[in-house]
Amino acid sequence: ALMIVKKKLDVEKFLSKIYAEVYAIDLHWLVHAHGALEVAKLVKSLHDRPVVLGGLSATYYWHEVMDKCPYVDYVLLGDTTELPMEVFLDKMFRGGDLGEVPNLVYRVNGSVKTTGLSFIPDNLDKYIVDYDWLFSRYSKRSLVLACLPWGDFLRRPIGAVISFKGCTYNCAFCGGSRYAYERFYGRRGLGVKSPEAIIKEVRGILENVKIPVFFVGDLRLLGKRSREVLRLLREEGVDGEFMFEFFRPADCEFLEELRRAAPDAIIQISPDSPHEDVRKTAGRPYGNAELRSFVKNVMSLGFKRLDLYFMIGLNGQRRGEGEDIVRLVNNLTEGLDVKGKLAVFAAPLAPFLDPGSIAFENSPDSGYRLYARHLYEHRDLLL
């Protein structure tokens, strides 16, 4: 992101001036397969300090990372690494047995060892982001540009709140599906934050910077807690522009409750395909009639905007999918006033299938043909 903002950035010079005892780099989605490894290599050559990788892709590919990346010293496994990192740093600087650090992959005399994936918390309240601390640190050290999440952030900023980790859905192409979490990341159920912790995190963003806040994931996966989140938003008068995504259409009652809590909310849903059979194969278990009812309710309740996301490259799609998307949207909005209140997106399934997803693990029987299975194959394709 910083390279995009500063076209003439000297990356090596920039990294050479960042001093730390340990350097931690995320390799989360495979779009980072080249960048994360190259940054790790640069950091190691410039500072020769311990380099740690973390993230879902780092977890999935830890064997290959340790085998082919001598500049990576450690990998922290799993979706929640705050506590393992704390224990790791304690052992590093106070002395002790690294074998007592949960979720750690490390080397001993040339041999790779792991403590396994044992830290998988169900309650995530301890791991909310402290935005007061975060913004004060960035502003004091003039690192605002250095922590951009993407290049266009300053023009179109958005904050994000993660209410839960894991999933109950099995979208075929998603590396964060229930299948992937259970099989590769040890999570048998959702890890969740309490409604109070979620609201605290929302306030932390809005009290430091007035930007839209995106609730990542369908809040309804929290069960009764989802309505408590909406009640707290309403009763505590949390003022902001909010974005909510739905994995399947919500009923009118829930939308009414959401409208009372967040009058200017933007609603998002991803039908992925205009064809019901393709959509269900992809893991979205609802039909076009249900989708039309949802669109009608969102419009009639007066939400700020509805975003519809479609995807090109799904198993079972036919020629002419683009035209079919237009026809479906016209059908969904027939008789409704959607001017300025509807945004429709169609994007490719790119650049890769997520490792751990149903489609990836069962290729080619899943209807997808892979050109890469290993980390370095993905890395090379990015070139």
Side-chain angles (χ1 to χ4, degrees), residues 93-333:
F93 300 122
R94 295 176 184 268
D97 182 5
L98 288 178
E100 297 176 2
V101 181
N103 298 22
L104 182 67
V105 180
Y106 60 110
R107 295 188 184 91
V108 177
N109 299 324
S111 299
V112 176
K113 296 184 177 295
T114 178
T115 60
L117 181 49
S118 59
F119 182 71
I120 310 167
D122 296 326
N123 188 313
L124 303 177
D125 281 5
K126 292 181 180 179
Y127 312 110
I128 65 172
V129 180
D130 184 345
Y131 283 100
D132 291 337
W133 179 88
L134 202 61
F135 281 105
S136 67
R137 291 283 288 185
Y138 285 146
S139 61
K140 287 178 182 177
R141 299 179 65 189
S142 300
L143 285 175
V144 175
L145 280 182
C147 64
L148 293 177
W150 58 85
D152 206 24
F153 179 80
L154 292 178
R155 193 165 68 87
R156 293 186 295 179
I158 184 173
V161 172
I162 296 175
S163 305
F164 58 86
K165 295 181 180 181
C167 195
T168 60
Y169 284 81
N170 264 331
C171 295
F173 49 82
C174 182
S177 65
R178 184 181 71 200
Y179 171 91
Y181 265 103
E182 288 182 353
R183 185 171 176 186
F184 299 105
Y185 309 118
R187 190 170 284 288
R188 303 291 175 182
L190 295 182
V192 301
K193 293 174 185 171
S194 67
E196 292 77 14
I198 294 169
I199 297 302
K200 182 177 180 181
E201 201 163 335
V202 172
R203 282 192 180 280
I205 296 174
L206 295 175
E207 289 174 358
N208 284 281
V209 58
K210 294 296 182 183
I211 61 175
V213 176
F214 178 44
F215 286 81
V216 180
D218 193 328
L219 267 183
R220 295 173 300 165
L221 268 63
L222 295 175
K224 294 179 180 179
R225 293 184 180 207
S226 63
R227 296 181 183 273
E228 182 66 11
V229 171
L230 298 182
R231 184 189 68 79
L232 290 173
L233 269 181
R234 183 181 70 252
E235 293 184 359
E236 294 190 16
V238 182
D239 184 26
E241 182 180 328
F242 302 112
M243 306 171 73
F244 296 88
E245 69 173 319
F246 291 89
F247 293 166
R248 66 177 299 160
D251 58 38
C252 192
E253 181 186 358
F254 188 87
L255 288 173
E256 287 173 346
E257 199 166 339
L258 176 54
R259 177 71 172 79
R260 290 192 295 271
D264 294 325
I266 294 171
I267 306 300
Q268 299 184 343
I269 191 168
S270 301
D272 288 330
S273 172
H275 301 290
E276 293 179 343
D277 58 336
V278 176
R279 185 184 308 141
K280 290 178 180 178
T281 298
R284 306 288 191 186
Y286 57 88
N288 288 336
E290 191 177 351
L291 182 60
R292 175 169 170 75
S293 177
F294 176 73
V295 172
K296 181 180 179 181
N297 288 333
V298 169
M299 292 300 165
S300 64
L301 287 169
F303 285 100
K304 183 175 182 178
R305 196 177 78 225
L306 171 64
D307 295 344
L308 296 176
Y309 289 89
F310 294 88
M311 194 172 286
I312 304 298
L314 298 176
N315 177 30
Q317 283 181 329
R318 313 161 181 90
R319 288 187 179 275
E321 184 84 2
E323 291 86 349
D324 291 343
I325 291 171
V326 175
R327 279 191 284 271
L328 174 66
V329 172
N330 287 338
N331 178 267
L332 294 174
T333 59

